[in-house]
């Protein structure tokens, strides 16, 4: 049997080294997220052969928030192609925080990249606009995104009304 690319011992070591990291704060600008137990922590690893290794609070549900950015970007690329997407969103690094919404390239007025909020809003808008052009309803547009994210997560995802309204 082929060994894991990263050993289970290394996974355990990484889990132990990082699970008690107290840097950062809960997202108190979203009241519902400010109530999340900060002690929840999980580590999962899947190698190129599909073997999995999990530690911690794997079953705890969490809000995707900014972790959805690379996935929505990939969906936009899949639907529209690289040239179309990059005509609206750049791929350059920025010194701005992930939640930057006002930072745009000077000449093109595009967001610098899809990993800051302005870029994520742009890529999500591209996916939604494609749905509108296909005469899909807003519910169908949201469902397209949820089905895609669910396929990556390996389970059905949903929009939390509590977090949405919070």
């Amino acid at each position: 049997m082929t060994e894991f690319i990263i050993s289970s011992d290394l996974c355990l070591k990484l889990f132990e080294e990082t699970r008690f990291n107290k840097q950062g704060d809960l997202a108190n600008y979203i009241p519902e997220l400010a109530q999340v137990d900060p002690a929840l922590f999980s580590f999962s690893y899947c190698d190129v052969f599909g073997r999995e290794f999990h530690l911690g609070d794997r079953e705890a549900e969490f809000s995707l928030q900014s972790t959805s950015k690379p996935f929505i970007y990939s969906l936009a690329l899949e639907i529209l192609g690289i040239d179309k997407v990059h005509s609206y969103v750049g791929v350059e690094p920025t010194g701005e925080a992930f939640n930057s919404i006002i930072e745009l390239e000077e000449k093109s007025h595009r967001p610098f990249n899809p990993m800051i909020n302005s870029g994520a809003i742009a890529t999500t808008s591209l996916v939604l606009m494609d749905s509108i052009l296909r005469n899909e309803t807003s519910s169908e547009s949201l469902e397209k995104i949820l089905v895609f994210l669910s396929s990556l997560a390996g389970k059905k995802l949903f929009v939390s009304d509590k977090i949405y309204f919070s």
Side-chain angles (χ1 to χ4, degrees), residues 28-103:
N28 59 8
Y29 54 91
I30 302 173
E32 193 67 27
L33 294 182
Q35 297 176 34
V36 172
D37 179 358
L40 289 173
F41 187 77
S42 181
F43 176 97
S44 291
Y45 167 75
C46 179
D47 70 15
V48 296
F49 303 106
R51 292 175 297 216
E52 300 177 10
F53 186 82
H54 307 282
L55 293 166
D57 302 303
R58 175 183 179 199
E59 298 303 319
E61 291 184 341
F62 65 94
S63 179
L64 291 179
Q65 300 294 320
S66 285
T67 62
S68 67
K69 291 174 180 175
F71 306 116
I72 299 302
Y73 174 55
S74 69
L75 178 59
L77 291 171
E78 180 180 302
I79 292 170
L80 300 166
I82 194 167
D83 292 337
K84 183 78 166 178
V85 171
H86 289 173
S87 71
Y88 291 96
V89 181
V91 291
E92 296 301 320
T94 174
E96 295 299 313
F98 77 93
N99 59 353
S100 173
I101 195 161
I102 58 170
E103 189 70 29

Side-chain angles (χ1 to χ4, degrees), residues 5-164:
I5 302 223
I6 297 178
S7 72
S8 56
D9 288 342
L10 179 57
C11 289
L12 184 58
K13 180 180 183 228
L14 292 169
F15 177 78
E16 292 298 332
E17 285 177 2
T18 57
R19 77 185 215 180
F20 297 114
N21 181 334
K22 299 299 182 197
Q23 294 177 334
D25 298 306
L26 292 173
N28 59 8
Y29 54 91
I30 302 173
E32 193 67 27
L33 294 182
Q35 297 176 34
V36 172
D37 179 358
L40 289 173
F41 187 77
S42 181
F43 176 97
S44 291
Y45 167 75
C46 179
D47 70 15
V48 296
F49 303 106
R51 292 175 297 216
E52 300 177 10
F53 186 82
H54 307 282
L55 293 166
D57 302 303
R58 175 183 179 199
E59 298 303 319
E61 291 184 341
F62 65 94
S63 179
L64 291 179
Q65 300 294 320
S66 285
T67 62
S68 67
K69 291 174 180 175
F71 306 116
I72 299 302
Y73 174 55
S74 69
L75 178 59
L77 291 171
E78 180 180 302
I79 292 170
L80 300 166
I82 194 167
D83 292 337
K84 183 78 166 178
V85 171
H86 289 173
S87 71
Y88 291 96
V89 181
V91 291
E92 296 301 320
T94 174
E96 295 299 313
F98 77 93
N99 59 353
S100 173
I101 195 161
I102 58 170
E103 189 70 29
L104 301 174
E105 292 177 345
E106 192 172 318
K107 290 182 181 180
S108 69
H109 301 289
R110 299 177 307 172
F112 278 98
N113 67 64
M115 301 307 138
I116 57 173
N117 281 359
S118 57
I121 290 167
T123 54
T124 303
S125 296
L126 289 170
V127 170
L128 297 176
M129 285 304 299
D130 180 72
S131 293
I132 290 169
L133 293 173
R134 296 175 188 276
N135 293 319
E136 295 173 351
T137 66
S138 58
S139 294
E140 290 170 321
S141 299
L142 176 60
E143 186 63 21
K144 178 187 293 186
I145 291 171
L146 285 174
V147 165
F148 177 73
L149 292 173
S150 295
S151 73
L152 298 175
K155 66 187 247 178
K156 184 159 178 49
L157 302 181
F158 61 94
V159 175
S160 166
D161 289 341
K162 284 182 174 181
I163 294 172
Y164 177 77

